[in-house]
Amino acid sequence: MSSTTYAVVGGGAIGGTLAFHLARAGHPVTVIDADAEHVAAIAERGLVLDRAGERTAAPVAAATPEEFTGTLEHVLLAVKAQATESAVRWIAPRLAPDGYVASVQNGFNEPVLAEHLGLARTVAAFVNIFADRTEPGVIADGGPGALVLGEPGGAVSDRVRSLVADLRAWGPAQSSDNVEGFLWAKAGFGAMLAATALADEPMADLIDRHRPAMHALGEEVFAVAGALGVRLEAFDAFRPTAFARGADSDDRERAVAELTAWLRTQPKTRSGIWRDLAVRRREVEVTTHYATVLAEADRLGIGTPLLRAVMAGLRELEDDPAAMSERRLDELDRIAGSLV
């Protein structure tokens, strides 16, 4: 059986994880990344996956965008959301007429791909992979997650089935005709994780201790999704309908307990957002993710005070990550209480 050749544009946590597993399954993989040090490390010793201190290398080619030559056919795009536009502009003239790009990113990036590449060369994807790029050439495995692919607008094609089959080298990849429902569900979950990055404590503990804020964040995001007619999809241990406005309070408490219990089983205890602020000292991508949610909320006249407070807090922490404090989540609880 022939192996599909893949290019992974953006070799960080998500891209690096998928590149590693595709390569280990025998697929020729090239990681294209703007970080020259990361590229050099991969070229020297392969792409390394670190599972609780046990390291395994996979043979992966690597190049910076400036070094890469040739045509792209099957592309997994895994750059940070704020780099999507520039990455797609780079990909467009190099992508084969019958090639495609799958956005294995956080946020709502498919419209940007479709604008520059056309719908026929865009694959929709939802990803909830727990990992971190901890040093050049090394990806730390943060535990199992979810990955769902489909065609934009809702369909499952032969190319989606083929891609899903290959990505099962990583784990439980699946196809769906409702990727949008997963993306909006992740937007609610992601808002909670974003809020936990306001403090330097484990995600599960902060979600557990600040339930009023977490409930309100879910309600805000899912009110927008509901107004758009989106059918939310559950994933991993997250049941989005339990966090929607009007959900049964007992069921919501059970949903929080299920979610925090699952998070406590994961090796990764803090979010990638926290890591961007506290470790890598760089701009977070969630402010780009939630631009779509906030724009739709404004258009629909739906209030989002908690989500806006989280985004404002993260922007402050970009300048001063030492100002992380659980008091910020206490304030979110206060705002949530004032809305009841």
Side-chain angles (χ1 to χ4, degrees):
M1 192 169 96
S2 61
S3 298
T4 302
T5 299
Y6 288 97
V8 178
V9 179
I14 295 171
T17 297
L18 297 178
F20 173 88
H21 288 286
L22 286 168
R24 290 273 289 179
H27 297 280
V29 177
T30 299
V31 166
I32 302 162
D33 197 282
D35 186 333
E37 191 177 8
H38 189 47
V39 165
I42 295 171
E44 180 180 348
R45 62 176 185 264
L47 185 57
V48 176
L49 191 71
D50 184 341
R51 288 193 184 94
E54 183 177 335
R55 295 189 171 196
T56 308
V60 173
T64 63
E66 294 77 18
E67 294 168 343
F68 180 81
T69 58
T71 301
L72 300 168
E73 293 185 284
H74 311 103
V75 181
L76 303 183
L77 179 62
V79 298
K80 293 289 187 180
Q82 62 266 34
T84 301
E85 178 97 24
S86 59
V88 175
R89 287 184 181 277
W90 179 86
I91 290 167
R94 297 167 174 82
L95 186 64
D98 59 349
Y100 64 75
V101 178
S103 168
V104 289
Q105 302 166 272
N106 292 311
F108 302 89
N109 301 294
E110 283 78 9
V112 179
L113 273 64
E115 178 186 351
H116 293 282
L117 307 174
L119 275 176
R121 298 197 293 174
T122 299
V123 172
F126 152 80
V127 59
N128 191 47
I129 291 177
F130 286 71
D132 287 309
R133 201 214 85 170
T134 52
E135 61 186 89
V138 179
I139 307 297
D141 180 24
L147 178 60
V148 182
L149 297 106
E151 294 291 347
V156 177
S157 61
D158 287 342
R159 70 178 181 181
V160 166
R161 293 186 188 94
S162 177
L163 178 55
V164 166
D166 288 349
L167 288 172
R168 283 182 178 151
W170 158 78
Q174 61 179 297
S175 60
S176 174
D177 61 1
N178 186 30
V179 173
E180 183 182 37
F182 286 97
L183 290 173
W184 275 95
K186 175 66 179 290
F189 177 51
M192 299 177 193
L193 298 188
T196 69
L198 298 172
D200 186 9
E201 296 287 340
M203 296 180 287
D205 294 347
L206 291 171
I207 291 173
D208 216 356
R209 290 201 294 264
H210 297 279
R211 295 189 180 202
M214 302 303 158
H215 296 165
L217 284 165
E219 288 184 355
E220 289 181 1
V221 173
F222 297 147
V224 179
L228 293 172
V230 175
R231 174 170 51 87
L232 297 171
E233 299 277 5
F235 62 92
D236 293 330
F238 185 66
R239 293 192 287 114
T241 54
F243 294 89
R245 194 159 288 149
D248 177 78
S249 58
D250 289 339
D251 187 48
R252 179 174 287 180
E253 292 303 316
R254 285 193 296 271
V256 174
E258 292 164 5
L259 177 62
T260 54
W262 177 74
L263 285 170
R264 289 188 175 106
T265 69
Q266 301 282 12
K268 180 173 176 174
T269 62
R270 287 165 172 78
S271 71
I273 306 159
W274 173 90
R275 187 175 185 83
D276 279 343
L277 293 169
V279 179
R280 305 197 72 181
R281 305 297 178 99
R282 67 182 183 182
E283 178 185 350
V284 296
E285 62 174 340
V286 287
T287 50
T288 302
H289 297 166
Y290 287 96
T292 298
V293 178
L294 294 173
E296 290 290 359
D298 286 343
R299 184 178 67 83
L300 295 163
I302 296 172
T304 52
L306 264 291
L307 185 58
R308 293 178 191 278
V310 171
M311 296 301 112
L314 293 174
R315 291 190 187 100
E316 290 175 9
L317 292 175
E318 286 175 339
D319 295 326
D320 183 17
M324 285 181 177
S325 170
E326 194 166 349
R327 289 192 298 274
R328 292 178 178 270
L329 283 96
D330 293 334
E331 176 62 13
L332 293 181
D333 285 339
R334 187 196 66 75
I335 296 171
S338 72
L339 299 173
V340 176

